[in-house]
Structures are given as structure tokens and as C-alpha cells.
Amino acid sequence: MSEMTTQELAVDLIACFEGCRLTAYQDTGGVWTVGFGETGPDVTEGVTRTYDEAWAWLQDRVASLLPLVADLPVPHAAALASFGYNCGRGALLNVIAGHDTIANPIHYTDRHGNVLTGLRSRRQLEEALMLL
């Protein structure tokens, strides 16, 4: 059995946590989202994706984060890519630079300070992968 690549592990982590919804919905923050967590100005009410389109977008987005973590062991790099996918490139850069941590509660609470259990679990898994 061959080892997983960073991209494979990151994509699997992200797909597991994000799930895939092919019709746009508003996430807990009210942001229109489709596929495996795709957001942006083109994602609005009524937008749909095919599974193949959603999968391709996920692959491309993960690939864009991999150069930032290329020199790290696969579990660390995949955890950071998962975090960056969910929290954004800026948050990822702050964690890589040591100015923030994955475990910072801001990364798993909503704007009212409520803990989002699924995000807390995701952050805990990402933190655990950093220990491997």
C-alpha cells in the first residue's frame, strides 16, 4: 500500500468535514455555500453544481494551498491545508507564521461566541495531526 499524498489526505479531511451539497445553502454565518464548502461572489441562492464540478473545485482549491505547506510532513501539511480551506489563506498564513494557532477559539465559534461543535471537532483533529 502506498502512502497518501498531502493533497489526498487534505481532500479526504475536507470532504469529510464539509460534506457536499449541490444546491447553494446559507451556512451558520449566513454565507451562501455550495459543493464542498465553495463560497464567493458566484455562489448565491439557487446556484447548483454537479458532483464532478464540486470535486474539481475542491481539488483546485486544495492545490492552491499546498505550496504554503510543501516542506512539512504529510499529516501536518494536510491539517494546515484543511484549516486554510475552512478559515482562509490569511488565517493559514498567520498560523504558519506563529501569530495564531489552529486551536484559537475564534476558529470554531460564531460571531456571537457560540461554540460550533463540528468546527471544534475539526480543529481538534487538525491539531492532533500536527502531533504526528
Side-chain angles (χ1 to χ4, degrees):
M1 181 175 190
S2 64
E3 290 186 31
M4 289 184 88
T5 66
T6 299
Q7 174 131 1
E8 289 168 337
L9 181 55
V11 164
D12 285 351
L13 285 170
I14 294 163
C16 177
F17 280 109
E18 295 286 345
C20 184
R21 292 174 66 177
L22 301 177
T23 300
Y25 65 96
Q26 288 184 301
D27 69 9
T28 57
V31 176
W32 285 103
T33 307
V34 70
F36 293 96
E38 176 185 349
T39 61
D42 295 336
V43 181
T44 57
E45 185 175 10
V47 165
T48 61
R49 297 284 186 265
T50 66
Y51 184 84
D52 289 342
E53 290 169 334
W55 188 254
W57 191 88
L58 170 62
Q59 294 285 340
D60 290 346
R61 178 104 181 271
V62 169
S64 74
L65 296 171
L66 295 181
L68 301 174
V69 296
D71 295 332
L72 299 172
V74 169
H76 299 189
L80 287 168
S82 172
F83 173 80
Y85 183 91
N86 184 240
C87 294
R89 188 181 193 91
L92 174 58
L93 290 170
N94 281 332
V95 167
I96 291 170
H99 303 302
D100 197 1
T101 66
I102 290 173
N104 183 337
I106 197 168
H107 302 303
Y108 59 82
T109 55
D110 67 15
R111 65 179 179 250
H112 304 291
N114 299 310
V115 171
L116 302 172
T117 331
L119 281 181
R120 183 175 55 193
S121 296
R122 183 177 186 164
R123 298 291 94 86
Q124 289 170 336
L125 177 58
E126 291 162 349
E127 281 282 315
L129 287 169
M130 298 294 288
L131 300 174
L132 296 178

